[in-house]
Amino acid sequence: MEVGQMQRQWLDYTRSLFIEGFLDGQFLQLEQLQDDNNPDFVVEVVSLFFQDSHKLLNDLTIALDQKSVDFKKIDAHVHQLKGSSSSIGAQRVKNCCIAFRNFCEEQNTDACLKCLHQVKQECCLVKNKLETLFRLEQQIMAAGGSIPMMELSF
Amino acid sequence: MATTKFRHVFGRLWGFATSCKKSSSSNPIGTRILQRDVEKEEFQFASTLCLSSYYSVFVVRLAIMVMLAILIGLLTILTWHFTKIYTTKSLNSLAYDLRYELLQRPILRMWNILNSTSEITIAQVKLSQYVIRSHGNLTTQEDQVEMYEAMRAVTWALFASRKALNSITVKYNNGFVQAFHRDIKDNNTFYIYSDLDNYSIGASGYNNSELNYSSLSSQESSWNDNDNKSTVWYRQPLDPVTGERIGKPMQIAPEDSIHIAGLSQVPDGVASWRVAVSKFTDSPLLSAALPVWDSSNKSIVAVVGVTTALYSVGQLMKELVELHSGHMYLTSLEGYLLATSTDAPLLDNSTQPPKLKMAVDCENEVIRLGAEYLRRSSGNKFPPSHEVHVANVRLGHDRYYIDSFFLNLKRLPLVGVIIIPRKHILGQVDERAFKTLVILISASMCIIVIGWVCILILTNGVSKEMKLRAELISQLEARRKAEASSNYKSQFLANMSHELRTPMAAIIGLLDILMSDDCLTNEQCATVTQIRKCSTALLRLLNNILDISKVESGKLVLEDAEFDLGRELEGLVDMFSVQCINHSVETVLDLSDDMPKLVRGDSARVVQIFANLINNSIKFTPSGHVILRGWFENPNPCSDSANFLMEEKKLQCAQKTRAKQYENHAKRTSERDKKAVLWFEVDDTGCGIDPSKWDSVFESFEQADPSTTRLHGGTGLGLCIVRSLVNKMGGEIKVVKKEGPGTLMQLYLRLDTAGDDTEQHCLVDIANNGLVVLLALHGNIGRSITSKWLQQNGVFTMEASEWNGLTQILRELFHTRSSSGTNNGFDVHYPIPESLKSRLLSIQEIRHPVFVIAVDIGLLDLSTDIWKEQLNFLHRYLGLAKFIWVLNHDTSNTIKLELRRKGYMMTVSKPLYKAKIVHILEEVIKERNHEMQKKNMDELHVHESDYTHCDAASSDDSDISESAPCNPVSSTEKFEQFDLLSRYRINNCLIGLTDEHSEVKTPRKEDSYQNNHNSPKSLSAEQAYFPREAHQGEDSESRGKEEHRIIRGLGRPANGKKSLEGLRILLAEDTPVIQRVATIMLEKMGASVVAVGDGQQAVDALNDMLGVEDFRRDSNLNERNTRSSSPQTEILSFPSYDLVLMDCQMPKMDGYEATKAIRKSEVGSGVHIPIVALTAHAMSCDEAKCLEVGMDAYLTKPIDFKLMESTILSLTRKTTS
């Protein structure tokens, strides 16, 4: 594939991610942080996020399975997840987390479970999207091109 | 009692109904029908409500009343019962005794009478037997007479001995009769005897009778026949005492006066008793008869009869009952009256012979009724030994006691009856009992009535209170609901606008992308620009709504930070002057010199206030001016004139003193309480506001004129926000009357003055330097204000408003001096005004004057090429005076280039306000000094940039600019950078949002695009939007877009220094992702970062500096972070960290706890390490919590690059400086 085409594809894809609300401005900031010193910074942070979120989601699942649900603990977990997701700009995950925390405050176990499911889904979704994105980037790099600059500035 | 209650209830209901009727009918009929209907409805509604509640209350009341009534009734009855019944009982028993006693006595008397009668009879019989026997055989008449004489003497003796005897009769078997009779009425005593001659001695009859008792009846009949036929009786009165015969015997008819007991009365030879009635007395007599047997006891020789009058019994009874007016009577068993206590006749005279009366026929009514009652109660046949004791029998009109006793005499059973009126015994008692009852009942009725009234009053009060309470509760409920709904509304608005902003940001961003695309046609570009404008307007509206709802929900928390009020306002005026250019409106800032330089407060909000006001003014001012005036109301004013210079100096040295203020930070916090009242006026010459709307324009969605929306747009939210903010800052805003057209808004704010009163004066004195300033400016107001201010500060000024005036003054000034002027086509001779002349004269007296000529570029004729000629003309004076060119924002580049080419280095953009002038004059003075020292010309170049950007420095961000006035000879780039920063800030503030720079970028997009390539000025404005990207310092490969190239290119630091170079930052964050991101961000800015996983580690790291290295080794994520050059030196220099970034929620020890611990450990050491909170909580209360525990600043996640940088910079500068 031609490099230019791939770049355009990458741009379109990124834009769609933004428009569909998977990502927000924070992701752009991440990209801006990536430089020669940290060539794989975005990938590193994102994979860190997914490791972290995987662990957190597991914890959450276990915590919600308990008979007497410790909402304080769940709230703390969700809060952490919210912080990290907002840091990588995974907007939809973040929004889910906000809803989750609200239900946590209400101590609504059913809604929490639903939310957990949703968060998991969103995580999965954004993970797939980002993987696709990174694959595209790798292809571009492999083809000798450079990653185009996103000028979406949310 | 019950009936009265019901009557009461009914009465109340009835009264209520009538009152309802009355009040419903009392509505005036004449009023309008509609109103009446409404009233009626309301009334009906109210009355049904009232009725239902009334019923419930009514039932309760009724119950209480009934209970009270029952209680009191019981009490009454019991009282009455106990008092009455016991007295009655005891009285009754007493009365019974009395009656018994009373009755006993006549009966005893009766008994006595009977006894005595029987005794006499027996005595007579015994004596008669003796006499008859002693006389043996009566053969002769003489014997017989003798015996009769003896009998008479014996009988008399007996008769005389008993006064009560009525008579004693002796009848012999031969028919002879001897009798004594006592007439009680006449008190006469008679002896009655029969004619002796008619009797024969021989009595065959006796024999017969002796022989055959069984044929006694025939014998008797023979006796009676004898008596009736042949006997002649005589009656001879006797002396009642002696028995002497005192009168002649009179012949009387047999049985005429007395009844002689005959054989018939003793048929079986035993004593007989009977009650007889005599013709002569009206009372019944008790007669007893006893036969006298002969010696052989075989035949009856005589019959003795004794009669006793019962009169005495009646007398006794009368006496007895006289006392109590009762009645007594005795009857035989058959019911014949024997004796009564009355005078009523006992005999029935109507029949011959008179007979005894029955008791029921008695003439005395009481006795008759009593007898009837008795007969009714016990029947005709009076049972033996039956006694009746009845109390309370109604006889006639009165009540009586009736008691009967039975006296069982042989052959003569008697019944005694006593009738005593009840009144006599129980009269008082009954009366009293009745009275007591009446009194008790009336008293209890009174008590019940009073109790009811009390209950009514009490329950009325209670029910009223309850009603009020219920009303209050419902009101509270309603209020709570209303508040809640209002809250929901605000919440909803806030959420909505917040949610809407995100897509809006996307739209604007995408539009920007689209606009930067080159392949758009002009039309498309115009359309997109239009869309862009609309989106921005929409976004502004959303922000306004968000602001309002924030204020309404009370969530707006004002920042409390120090800021330079003057600088903010200058920036504001700068910005608006750009807008005004199209309108030919002059924007003037006129702040008095005594305004405090530094105040504490929310700078963004203050700027928002004035931005809204000025925006409004400009919107409604087609031509003229908009002035923002400000002055300081000192609570204890000192003389202005004396302080004037001092104040002026203060104004200029503020920047230097600020450094000192930081050192005194802790000291000042205690003194910071003083609030200053700052007055502001926004004065315009627009269309004005109708006085009736002066108050309402501050309401939300209110506009002075409905047509304004059509003409000028806007929502009417601006002034509402302004008022809310002003009120929040402890001030007030109002529209005040103004002379001439336009509006004058006056407001005051209460802000903390931050500056020390004892500021040092370190400024270059602009006075007394022989400065002469010629202001050739277009705007009248701005020029006169500036000139006035300069003159107040001891600077000589002249004014010119147009080209011709300028040339004239120039000529006058310099031609008179040099007296060699070349006449040019431009200088037209005008008559010089006298005032100007005198001024010129006074100028000439100044020694070594320095002329400063500020020329408005608008004075030149730019429409044609004449301006070049004009420049040439002015160029002649270049050596004589310092020219300052006041440029417009849209001044074309060619003019600028031309100016530069000609060597005019000092340019300043409009508007020209104090700070700029001060700056210019300082530079002029400095330059003169430089010139005096024969500096070479190269330095001019350096100065150029300073002058060009002196405005920037004045309106710069306070943190960065502090070095600028002190080191004016710093690098060009730096100034540019500051300029960018300031513009970014100002714009940001105006929009009211700090985090979305993309919105800010756009409003000026158009003009920046117009001048993009040829105007460095506008270029710099453009770059303002991404000033911080400069610090990335990375010149990465071309990313396609020109915009970014510019940014990156400019952003490269001139000295290669990163913004946070050399700072050591401790990052406490548990989430690895954020930790990583923040680390990279900080490192990009040049800081070295140590990351720790929780609060405990952070505290340890700070407390135990020696352990820093261990921590680094421990934390697996931080290998790359330990890039700092020399840990050793850090350890030695305490503290080794310049700043801590602290996540709030962490395991083991959260950020708040950690901060508290750190602050605690700092106590005493005098160290204050800045701690910045990192939190995902975006509420302002979290911020308050953060600041409360001792953190210095607050950053929300996701971390904003620029915000973080500026925050860190402001904090570290503070401490390091």
Side-chain angles (χ1 to χ4, degrees), chain B residues 874-897:
Chain B
L874 290 179
H875 196 64
R876 281 183 283 162
Y877 301 100
L878 181 60
L880 300 169
K882 306 284 177 209
F883 277 92
I884 298 163
W885 287 96
V886 182
L887 300 180
N888 277 336
H889 293 270
D890 53 353
T891 307
S892 72
N893 215 33
T894 47
I895 297 173
K896 286 182 189 162
L897 282 175

mmCIF file of all heavy atoms in Angstrom, chain B residues 874-897:
data_model
loop_
_atom_site.group_PDB
_atom_site.id
_atom_site.type_symbol
_atom_site.label_atom_id
_atom_site.label_comp_id
_atom_site.label_asym_id
_atom_site.label_seq_id
_atom_site.Cartn_x
_atom_site.Cartn_y
_atom_site.Cartn_z
ATOM 1 N N LEU B 874 7.402 64.578 8.457
ATOM 2 C CA LEU B 874 7.721 64.363 9.869
ATOM 3 C C LEU B 874 9.166 63.935 10.048
ATOM 4 O O LEU B 874 9.762 64.167 11.093
ATOM 5 C CB LEU B 874 6.786 63.290 10.452
ATOM 6 C CG LEU B 874 5.334 63.693 10.617
ATOM 7 C CD1 LEU B 874 4.534 62.524 11.172
ATOM 8 C CD2 LEU B 874 5.200 64.897 11.537
ATOM 9 N N HIS B 875 9.665 63.281 9.056
ATOM 10 C CA HIS B 875 11.018 62.745 9.167
ATOM 11 C C HIS B 875 12.037 63.848 9.455
ATOM 12 O O HIS B 875 13.082 63.606 10.045
ATOM 13 C CB HIS B 875 11.379 62.016 7.873
ATOM 14 C CG HIS B 875 12.563 61.139 8.031
ATOM 15 N ND1 HIS B 875 12.572 60.037 8.865
ATOM 16 C CD2 HIS B 875 13.810 61.192 7.491
ATOM 17 C CE1 HIS B 875 13.740 59.474 8.824
ATOM 18 N NE2 HIS B 875 14.524 60.165 7.991
ATOM 19 N N ARG B 876 11.661 65.051 9.047
ATOM 20 C CA ARG B 876 12.569 66.150 9.275
ATOM 21 C C ARG B 876 12.801 66.383 10.759
ATOM 22 O O ARG B 876 13.794 66.908 11.190
ATOM 23 C CB ARG B 876 11.986 67.421 8.653
ATOM 24 C CG ARG B 876 12.209 67.469 7.163
ATOM 25 C CD ARG B 876 11.690 68.767 6.634
ATOM 26 N NE ARG B 876 10.251 68.745 6.536
ATOM 27 C CZ ARG B 876 9.510 69.827 6.439
ATOM 28 N NH1 ARG B 876 10.058 71.029 6.496
ATOM 29 N NH2 ARG B 876 8.216 69.749 6.325
ATOM 30 N N TYR B 877 11.762 65.996 11.552
ATOM 31 C CA TYR B 877 11.874 66.278 12.986
ATOM 32 C C TYR B 877 12.404 65.090 13.761
ATOM 33 O O TYR B 877 12.432 65.101 14.983
ATOM 34 C CB TYR B 877 10.484 66.637 13.537
ATOM 35 C CG TYR B 877 9.879 67.829 12.849
ATOM 36 C CD1 TYR B 877 8.937 67.683 11.858
ATOM 37 C CD2 TYR B 877 10.282 69.120 13.218
ATOM 38 C CE1 TYR B 877 8.402 68.773 11.219
ATOM 39 C CE2 TYR B 877 9.745 70.215 12.579
ATOM 40 C CZ TYR B 877 8.792 70.037 11.588
ATOM 41 O OH TYR B 877 8.267 71.125 10.967
ATOM 42 N N LEU B 878 12.855 64.108 13.029
ATOM 43 C CA LEU B 878 13.261 62.877 13.719
ATOM 44 C C LEU B 878 14.385 63.128 14.720
ATOM 45 O O LEU B 878 14.372 62.604 15.837
ATOM 46 C CB LEU B 878 13.690 61.820 12.685
ATOM 47 C CG LEU B 878 14.119 60.475 13.257
ATOM 48 C CD1 LEU B 878 12.982 59.839 14.037
ATOM 49 C CD2 LEU B 878 14.557 59.536 12.149
ATOM 50 N N GLY B 879 15.265 63.937 14.333
ATOM 51 C CA GLY B 879 16.389 64.170 15.232
ATOM 52 C C GLY B 879 16.007 65.066 16.391
ATOM 53 O O GLY B 879 16.651 65.040 17.437
ATOM 54 N N LEU B 880 14.959 65.812 16.220
ATOM 55 C CA LEU B 880 14.621 66.780 17.253
ATOM 56 C C LEU B 880 13.721 66.188 18.328
ATOM 57 O O LEU B 880 13.728 66.648 19.453
ATOM 58 C CB LEU B 880 13.902 67.974 16.605
ATOM 59 C CG LEU B 880 14.727 68.707 15.538
ATOM 60 C CD1 LEU B 880 13.861 69.682 14.786
ATOM 61 C CD2 LEU B 880 15.896 69.426 16.194
ATOM 62 N N ALA B 881 12.985 65.231 17.906
ATOM 63 C CA ALA B 881 12.025 64.685 18.887
ATOM 64 C C ALA B 881 11.934 63.174 18.737
ATOM 65 O O ALA B 881 12.297 62.617 17.715
ATOM 66 C CB ALA B 881 10.640 65.292 18.665
ATOM 67 N N LYS B 882 11.454 62.562 19.781
ATOM 68 C CA LYS B 882 11.203 61.117 19.713
ATOM 69 C C LYS B 882 9.786 60.910 19.206
ATOM 70 O O LYS B 882 8.822 61.429 19.783
ATOM 71 C CB LYS B 882 11.307 60.479 21.109
ATOM 72 C CG LYS B 882 12.590 60.762 21.808
ATOM 73 C CD LYS B 882 13.704 59.915 21.235
ATOM 74 C CE LYS B 882 15.013 60.285 21.919
ATOM 75 N NZ LYS B 882 16.171 60.081 21.041
ATOM 76 N N PHE B 883 9.699 60.163 18.146
ATOM 77 C CA PHE B 883 8.375 59.880 17.611
ATOM 78 C C PHE B 883 7.879 58.533 18.123
ATOM 79 O O PHE B 883 8.619 57.559 18.147
ATOM 80 C CB PHE B 883 8.404 59.867 16.078
ATOM 81 C CG PHE B 883 8.301 61.238 15.507
ATOM 82 C CD1 PHE B 883 9.422 61.978 15.222
ATOM 83 C CD2 PHE B 883 7.047 61.800 15.263
ATOM 84 C CE1 PHE B 883 9.316 63.256 14.709
ATOM 85 C CE2 PHE B 883 6.958 63.074 14.744
ATOM 86 C CZ PHE B 883 8.094 63.823 14.448
ATOM 87 N N ILE B 884 6.653 58.559 18.546
ATOM 88 C CA ILE B 884 6.028 57.282 18.918
ATOM 89 C C ILE B 884 4.842 57.117 18.005
ATOM 90 O O ILE B 884 3.949 57.969 17.968
ATOM 91 C CB ILE B 884 5.562 57.293 20.377
ATOM 92 C CG1 ILE B 884 6.753 57.484 21.296
ATOM 93 C CG2 ILE B 884 4.828 56.023 20.725
ATOM 94 C CD1 ILE B 884 6.370 57.907 22.668
ATOM 95 N N TRP B 885 4.833 56.052 17.301
ATOM 96 C CA TRP B 885 3.717 55.832 16.387
ATOM 97 C C TRP B 885 2.664 54.968 17.053
ATOM 98 O O TRP B 885 2.960 53.889 17.530
ATOM 99 C CB TRP B 885 4.212 55.187 15.094
ATOM 100 C CG TRP B 885 4.957 56.193 14.256
ATOM 101 C CD1 TRP B 885 6.286 56.377 14.212
ATOM 102 C CD2 TRP B 885 4.352 57.120 13.390
ATOM 103 N NE1 TRP B 885 6.609 57.411 13.352
ATOM 104 C CE2 TRP B 885 5.424 57.892 12.822
ATOM 105 C CE3 TRP B 885 3.047 57.433 13.017
ATOM 106 C CZ2 TRP B 885 5.181 58.930 11.917
ATOM 107 C CZ3 TRP B 885 2.842 58.446 12.105
ATOM 108 C CH2 TRP B 885 3.902 59.199 11.562
ATOM 109 N N VAL B 886 1.499 55.537 17.085
ATOM 110 C CA VAL B 886 0.384 54.775 17.674
ATOM 111 C C VAL B 886 -0.327 54.073 16.535
ATOM 112 O O VAL B 886 -0.935 54.700 15.667
ATOM 113 C CB VAL B 886 -0.577 55.702 18.418
ATOM 114 C CG1 VAL B 886 -1.691 54.888 19.049
ATOM 115 C CG2 VAL B 886 0.166 56.503 19.459
ATOM 116 N N LEU B 887 -0.195 52.791 16.503
ATOM 117 C CA LEU B 887 -0.699 52.021 15.368
ATOM 118 C C LEU B 887 -2.088 51.460 15.678
ATOM 119 O O LEU B 887 -2.425 51.177 16.826
ATOM 120 C CB LEU B 887 0.250 50.855 15.079
ATOM 121 C CG LEU B 887 1.679 51.218 14.720
ATOM 122 C CD1 LEU B 887 2.463 49.955 14.479
ATOM 123 C CD2 LEU B 887 1.721 52.126 13.509
ATOM 124 N N ASN B 888 -2.783 51.320 14.612
ATOM 125 C CA ASN B 888 -4.031 50.579 14.728
ATOM 126 C C ASN B 888 -3.738 49.098 14.548
ATOM 127 O O ASN B 888 -2.685 48.725 14.069
ATOM 128 C CB ASN B 888 -5.027 51.029 13.659
ATOM 129 C CG ASN B 888 -5.753 52.266 14.082
ATOM 130 O OD1 ASN B 888 -5.868 52.562 15.265
ATOM 131 N ND2 ASN B 888 -6.223 53.010 13.100
ATOM 132 N N HIS B 889 -4.699 48.313 14.883
ATOM 133 C CA HIS B 889 -4.476 46.872 14.741
ATOM 134 C C HIS B 889 -4.486 46.458 13.293
ATOM 135 O O HIS B 889 -3.891 45.451 12.933
ATOM 136 C CB HIS B 889 -5.548 46.107 15.502
ATOM 137 C CG HIS B 889 -5.443 46.307 16.949
ATOM 138 N ND1 HIS B 889 -4.689 45.516 17.773
ATOM 139 C CD2 HIS B 889 -5.952 47.276 17.750
ATOM 140 C CE1 HIS B 889 -4.754 45.951 18.994
ATOM 141 N NE2 HIS B 889 -5.514 47.032 19.013
ATOM 142 N N ASP B 890 -5.200 47.239 12.508
ATOM 143 C CA ASP B 890 -5.277 46.845 11.102
ATOM 144 C C ASP B 890 -4.319 47.660 10.238
ATOM 145 O O ASP B 890 -4.471 47.704 9.025
ATOM 146 C CB ASP B 890 -6.722 46.990 10.620
ATOM 147 C CG ASP B 890 -7.268 48.373 10.895
ATOM 148 O OD1 ASP B 890 -6.554 49.153 11.570
ATOM 149 O OD2 ASP B 890 -8.392 48.667 10.452
ATOM 150 N N THR B 891 -3.401 48.310 10.904
ATOM 151 C CA THR B 891 -2.436 49.081 10.109
ATOM 152 C C THR B 891 -1.690 48.139 9.166
ATOM 153 O O THR B 891 -1.202 47.097 9.588
ATOM 154 C CB THR B 891 -1.423 49.771 11.029
ATOM 155 O OG1 THR B 891 -2.151 50.514 11.996
ATOM 156 C CG2 THR B 891 -0.539 50.691 10.244
ATOM 157 N N SER B 892 -1.659 48.534 7.947
ATOM 158 C CA SER B 892 -1.091 47.602 6.956
ATOM 159 C C SER B 892 0.413 47.491 7.122
ATOM 160 O O SER B 892 1.060 48.374 7.678
ATOM 161 C CB SER B 892 -1.449 48.064 5.549
ATOM 162 O OG SER B 892 -0.702 49.214 5.247
ATOM 163 N N ASN B 893 0.878 46.418 6.653
ATOM 164 C CA ASN B 893 2.282 46.080 6.875
ATOM 165 C C ASN B 893 3.223 47.021 6.130
ATOM 166 O O ASN B 893 4.318 47.304 6.587
ATOM 167 C CB ASN B 893 2.509 44.642 6.442
ATOM 168 C CG ASN B 893 3.523 43.991 7.349
ATOM 169 O OD1 ASN B 893 3.573 44.308 8.524
ATOM 170 N ND2 ASN B 893 4.319 43.103 6.787
ATOM 171 N N THR B 894 2.751 47.479 5.015
ATOM 172 C CA THR B 894 3.619 48.379 4.235
ATOM 173 C C THR B 894 3.936 49.615 5.048
ATOM 174 O O THR B 894 5.083 50.099 5.036
ATOM 175 C CB THR B 894 2.912 48.787 2.930
ATOM 176 O OG1 THR B 894 1.566 49.169 3.250
ATOM 177 C CG2 THR B 894 2.876 47.623 1.956
ATOM 178 N N ILE B 895 2.946 50.117 5.727
ATOM 179 C CA ILE B 895 3.182 51.314 6.532
ATOM 180 C C ILE B 895 4.185 51.003 7.617
ATOM 181 O O ILE B 895 5.119 51.771 7.883
ATOM 182 C CB ILE B 895 1.854 51.806 7.129
ATOM 183 C CG1 ILE B 895 0.911 52.197 6.010
ATOM 184 C CG2 ILE B 895 2.094 52.977 8.062
ATOM 185 C CD1 ILE B 895 -0.473 52.548 6.454
ATOM 186 N N LYS B 896 3.999 49.847 8.226
ATOM 187 C CA LYS B 896 4.915 49.475 9.300
ATOM 188 C C LYS B 896 6.337 49.348 8.782
ATOM 189 O O LYS B 896 7.295 49.811 9.421
ATOM 190 C CB LYS B 896 4.465 48.158 9.931
ATOM 191 C CG LYS B 896 3.244 48.309 10.810
ATOM 192 C CD LYS B 896 2.880 46.980 11.428
ATOM 193 C CE LYS B 896 1.529 47.088 12.129
ATOM 194 N NZ LYS B 896 0.947 45.790 12.367
ATOM 195 N N LEU B 897 6.428 48.719 7.647
ATOM 196 C CA LEU B 897 7.762 48.544 7.070
ATOM 197 C C LEU B 897 8.387 49.895 6.749
ATOM 198 O O LEU B 897 9.570 50.136 7.002
ATOM 199 C CB LEU B 897 7.664 47.697 5.802
ATOM 200 C CG LEU B 897 7.507 46.192 6.027
ATOM 201 C CD1 LEU B 897 7.294 45.479 4.704
ATOM 202 C CD2 LEU B 897 8.740 45.649 6.732
#
